[in-house]
Amino acid sequence: MAVPDHEKERKESSSDSLGGNTEIENTSVNPKASGAVPESVDADQLRANINAKIANPLAGFSHAQLAQKGEEYVRTNNVGNKEDIRAFRLGAILAQDPNRHAEVDGLTTEESEVLSKEIAKKWSQPRLLYLVIVLCSTCAAVQGMDETVVNGGQIFYSQQFGISDKNSSRDSWLVGLVNSAPYLCCAFIGCWLTVPFNNWFGRRGTIFLTCSFSALACIWQVCNITSWWHMFIARFALGFGIGPKSATVPIYAAECSPPQIRGALVMQWQMWTAFGIFVGYASDLVFYHVPDRHGITGLNWRLMMGSACLPAIIVVCFVFLCPESPRWYMSKGRHEKAYRSMCKLRYNKVQAARDIFYMHTLLEAENQSMILGKNKIAELVTVPRNRRAMQASELVMFMQQFCGVNVIAYYSSEIFLEANLSEISALGASLGWGVINFLFAIPAVYTIDTFGRRNLLLTTFPLMSLCLFFTGFSFWIPSSSEAQIACVALGLYLFGIVYSPGEGPVPFTYSAEAYPLYIRSLGMSLATATTWFFNFVLSVTWPSLLKAFKPQGAFAWYAVWNIIGFFGVLFFVPETKGKTLEELDQVFGVRSRDHAAYGLRQLQYFFKRYIFRQDIEPEQLYEKDKVEHHPNSFSQEKEADQTTRV
């Protein structure tokens, strides 16, 4: 793949910076002082150097230099004794390239075997790390149950609260408002508490706090709630548990796990959330026949809503048996605790020292981004490379909701009731959808890195659109015919099969890798808030949409959005699978108009190659002679011709 001249220049300057002789290190700038970059330093070049250094901050150093750096780290931060000094001297060398451990002198036979096993058998890990995995998986199940127990509960509490008249606009909006209350809280309050909660309480503390919120809110919904507004308040409080937890748990999993399994563990958040959704449907079915007791009206739906507290209580009971995130300790300057925590998560001290030293070096490189003295929020928009990443990330996050999946997750029982199933049969059919959603989320761990993010979305969006059109139009089949319910169920089940490996796992994975590291946490906060906000919009509007457009029009509405999503991905979402940090700079350095034109040509290629069976080669977008790249694509382009911007 040919690289544009400006990219070659960037890589050359970046490689110089990795050896420790860059302007980044030689420029004495106090980020807390004026906040400005000295005139002698080019901000665009500095940003590129920082980004490259973050990609591998130890490249270019000799083994002797690295060993010395490791020892200096121990002595400077009072991390340990002589044994720990040895571990850090070896660990610093290994941190440069863990795969080349055979070239490192001084390792014992046992240490070499562990390092080899780490690569050959990547799932062979210490028991305490598996406890962390169990913790994160249970948190994801809490999330899924919190979202879906309302599916069955609303059948009953809407009647008890007097808001069940489907012909009443007021009742339709109130049902939607009560159901969507947690996501309203997430979008405007919950998600934005993630940073302060993590700063004050750490990862474990935030998980403990949010699961406590979830458990208490679920118990609150069991108590003597007798009105829709009381239920709205209780469910709104649930958002304080859902929002920060959804952002913290994947970060905690990533910070505790070794690189070999990090991606798979983060991906499992989606899979175990799908499992929680399935368990939520099962709880609705289990408690359906529970009769009212003396003085308790609606005991069945109260138990449905309260059942989600059980996994949350389990998490609260054992979260502090897991070690705190070493990275969080590092961010607080607690190097000794970070090292001890990492030792619990690795087989030996050399492994722990390797990961701690690399983490420390990476944090130092990230902190140098403060030299730029720029507003990172503004740079999301003003820097073209960042703006294109945000554009793609926000598009896939928006479409994760507007593909229509949570209409099914939250209202499938009502949909099946609309198709003339009995209440118990509707809950059973919803359980079937939950099983499918979970089972087809499992292969997503494989398909997302095999077929690529963009290809999965381009394949699944048209199929999801067809499934929703099919489901909606099935309501034109006479209700007296069993074919109606068969076709409705088939359409929803096929939608779940297509959604689970595509728009289910891709958005969070894509958003986590699209942004440069120096603004990645900010970009992920925006992405999380976006998905929860549109989750709220979808939840609150569906009952009224169903009343106004009938099932045929309501499902067609989201089917059309899937078509829009297909063209949005085709034109504005580049592939990120398997790209290095430098390659992602190049990918998002392509102007939006150029990528949109490429997407249109890709569509033409598909028809020529697979429909008309012509023997033609696919176009390589990133070759120099194919696409015009602009050397200022990573700058703010203050003096650029406005006609060249998108």
Side-chain angles (χ1 to χ4, degrees):
M1 178 177 69
V3 180
D5 292 339
H6 78 279
E7 292 289 345
K8 292 180 180 177
E9 292 170 2
R10 185 190 301 173
K11 288 188 177 183
E12 289 168 3
S13 64
S14 298
S15 63
D16 291 341
S17 75
L18 299 176
N21 299 317
T22 176
E23 289 177 329
I24 297 175
E25 295 185 357
N26 292 333
T27 304
S28 58
V29 178
N30 182 358
K32 296 181 180 180
S34 63
V37 180
E39 293 181 1
S40 60
V41 180
D42 179 80
D44 183 37
Q45 187 64 60
L46 194 57
R47 186 183 292 108
N49 287 348
I50 289 170
N51 211 35
K53 189 166 185 176
I54 291 174
N56 189 350
L58 296 174
F61 290 103
S62 67
H63 282 194
Q65 289 174 315
L66 290 168
Q68 183 61 31
K69 281 180 173 290
E71 183 173 343
E72 289 174 358
Y73 172 77
V74 176
R75 297 188 184 279
T76 302
N77 296 288
N78 299 315
V79 170
N81 52 32
K82 290 183 178 180
E83 182 183 353
D84 297 311
I85 291 175
R86 171 189 173 273
F88 272 92
R89 287 181 64 88
L90 294 171
I93 299 171
L94 289 167
Q96 187 181 55
D97 189 351
N99 293 326
R100 301 176 67 176
H101 60 85
E103 301 174 11
V104 178
D105 297 327
L107 292 170
T108 65
T109 302
E110 181 183 354
E111 289 168 344
S112 296
E113 289 177 353
V114 168
L115 292 170
S116 298
K117 188 178 180 180
E118 181 182 58
I119 299 171
K121 298 179 179 179
K122 62 183 182 180
W123 287 103
S124 177
Q125 301 293 338
R127 290 182 179 179
L128 204 54
L129 182 60
Y130 281 108
L131 185 64
V132 172
I133 295 172
V134 171
L135 173 71
C136 296
S137 300
T138 310
C139 286
V142 173
Q143 195 89 344
M145 287 194 71
D146 284 342
E147 293 180 29
T148 55
V149 288
V150 71
N151 192 300
Q154 66 184 308
I155 297 175
F156 304 100
Y157 70 63
S158 61
Q159 298 175 19
Q160 185 171 333
F161 299 156
I163 54 173
S164 61
D165 185 357
K166 292 181 173 57
N167 296 317
S168 167
S169 296
R170 173 186 176 275
D171 289 3
S172 296
W173 280 105
L174 288 179
V175 168
L177 185 64
V178 171
N179 290 349
S180 63
Y183 319 118
L184 178 65
C185 178
C186 285
F188 292 102
I189 305 176
C191 286
W192 305 107
L193 292 174
T194 301
V195 173
F197 276 12
N198 278 269
N199 186 45
W200 298 333
F201 308 117
R203 309 292 189 237
R204 293 183 307 174
T206 300
I207 291 172
F208 174 85
L209 197 61
T210 54
C211 284
S212 298
F213 282 148
S214 292
L216 291 173
C218 291
I219 294 171
W220 188 355
Q221 294 174 82
V222 177
C223 296
N224 191 26
I225 292 179
T226 57
S227 63
W228 67 264
W229 59 265
H230 194 175
M231 176 63 87
F232 171 81
I233 295 172
R235 287 187 55 74
F236 187 88
L238 183 61
F240 290 103
I242 293 177
K245 180 167 77 268
S246 66
T248 300
V249 174
I251 293 173
Y252 178 61
E255 291 175 346
C256 291
S257 57
Q260 293 85 352
I261 62 172
R262 186 171 298 147
L265 289 188
V266 175
M267 273 291 303
Q268 287 192 35
W269 170 261
Q270 178 67 27
M271 184 180 78
W272 290 106
T273 299
F275 176 75
I277 290 172
F278 154 66
V279 175
Y281 289 139
S283 297
D284 290 342
L285 203 56
V286 166
F287 293 115
Y288 176 81
H289 287 296
V290 174
D292 291 347
R293 301 294 173 88
H294 179 70
I296 304 177
T297 304
L299 181 59
N300 58 351
W301 68 259
R302 296 179 191 276
L303 292 176
M304 292 176 188
M305 304 299 287
S307 63
C309 75
L310 294 178
I313 292 172
I314 292 172
V315 170
V316 167
C317 289
F318 82 93
V319 60
F320 287 108
L321 297 178
C322 299
E324 180 57 272
S325 161
R327 171 121 184 184
W328 184 81
Y329 277 136
M330 294 280 284
S331 68
K332 296 297 180 182
R334 304 176 189 174
H335 298 271
E336 171 72 17
K337 287 189 174 182
Y339 177 50
R340 299 307 167 197
S341 179
M342 187 66 81
C343 286
K344 296 176 182 178
L345 296 166
R346 301 294 184 266
Y347 278 116
N348 57 49
K349 287 189 173 183
V350 171
Q351 278 183 305
R354 174 199 65 192
D355 293 343
I356 285 292
F357 182 76
Y358 186 81
M359 194 178 293
H360 163 71
T361 311
L362 191 62
L363 280 170
E364 282 192 330
E366 290 176 351
N367 289 337
Q368 287 174 350
S369 68
M370 297 301 294
I371 288 176
L372 292 172
K374 305 294 183 181
N375 186 322
K376 292 184 179 181
I377 296 177
E379 286 204 356
L380 278 174
V381 179
T382 57
V383 178
R385 181 260 185 263
N386 299 343
R387 185 174 64 247
R388 294 176 191 123
M390 181 180 69
Q391 175 181 274
S393 169
E394 291 298 286
L395 176 62
V396 295
M397 279 298 194
F398 166 76
M399 284 307 307
Q400 185 177 52
Q401 299 304 323
F402 264 64
C403 71
V405 63
N406 283 331
V407 164
I408 303 169
Y410 305 156
Y411 293 102
S412 61
S413 296
E414 292 289 343
I415 293 169
F416 286 121
L417 287 174
E418 190 79 21
N420 293 315
L421 274 183
S422 64
E423 290 178 349
I424 188 68
S425 298
L427 292 174
S430 295
L431 177 64
W433 191 88
V435 171
I436 287 173
N437 184 44
F438 170 60
L439 291 179
F440 283 88
I442 297 174
V445 177
Y446 168 78
T447 57
I448 196 169
D449 284 322
T450 304
F451 299 104
R453 291 82 161 118
R454 175 179 165 86
N455 288 337
L456 279 173
L457 295 179
L458 290 176
T459 301
T460 55
F461 269 127
L463 295 176
M464 287 192 293
S465 179
L466 288 174
C467 291
L468 291 182
F469 274 126
F470 179 81
T471 302
F473 294 167
S474 294
F475 281 91
W476 270 313
I477 300 174
S479 58
S480 58
S481 172
E482 292 184 356
Q484 185 196 67
I485 185 56
C487 289
V488 169
L490 177 63
L492 295 181
Y493 289 171
L494 289 175
F495 180 91
I497 291 172
V498 175
Y499 166 84
S500 295
E503 190 62 10
V506 167
F508 276 96
T509 304
Y510 192 95
S511 298
E513 63 195 4
Y515 291 100
L517 287 173
Y518 81 101
I519 58 165
R520 184 163 291 177
S521 60
L522 182 62
M524 277 303 294
S525 295
L526 177 62
T528 306
T530 298
T531 196
W532 286 122
F533 172 73
F534 286 107
N535 192 330
F536 161 72
V537 171
L538 182 128
S539 303
V540 76
T541 57
W542 174 255
S544 298
L545 193 69
L546 194 63
K547 174 180 176 295
F549 292 165
K550 304 306 179 187
Q552 297 88 333
F555 279 106
W557 165 257
Y558 288 109
V560 171
W561 273 110
N562 277 283
I563 296 173
I564 295 172
F566 170 81
F567 285 103
V569 171
L570 184 69
F571 294 149
F572 302 117
V573 178
E575 181 59 77
T576 59
K577 176 182 76 76
K579 305 291 186 190
T580 66
L581 206 62
E582 280 285 302
E583 290 170 338
L584 286 174
D585 288 350
Q586 185 189 32
V587 166
F588 289 107
V590 178
R591 294 184 307 178
S592 296
R593 68 183 68 178
D594 290 332
H595 195 277
Y598 164 72
L600 193 59
R601 294 193 298 272
Q602 258 198 324
L603 195 60
Q604 295 170 354
Y605 163 79
F606 175 83
F607 280 98
K608 290 179 180 179
R609 179 69 182 270
Y610 298 104
I611 304 300
F612 299 109
R613 313 300 295 176
Q614 296 180 12
D615 186 16
I616 57 175
E617 294 296 322
E619 176 185 354
Q620 299 299 321
L621 176 62
Y622 305 111
E623 290 181 358
K624 180 182 175 182
D625 58 347
K626 295 291 185 182
V627 176
E628 180 186 0
H629 294 262
H630 298 271
N632 54 6
S633 63
F634 213 120
S635 72
Q636 295 188 12
E637 298 183 329
K638 290 181 179 178
E639 300 177 359
D641 181 357
Q642 296 300 312
T643 61
T644 65
R645 301 185 67 176
V646 178

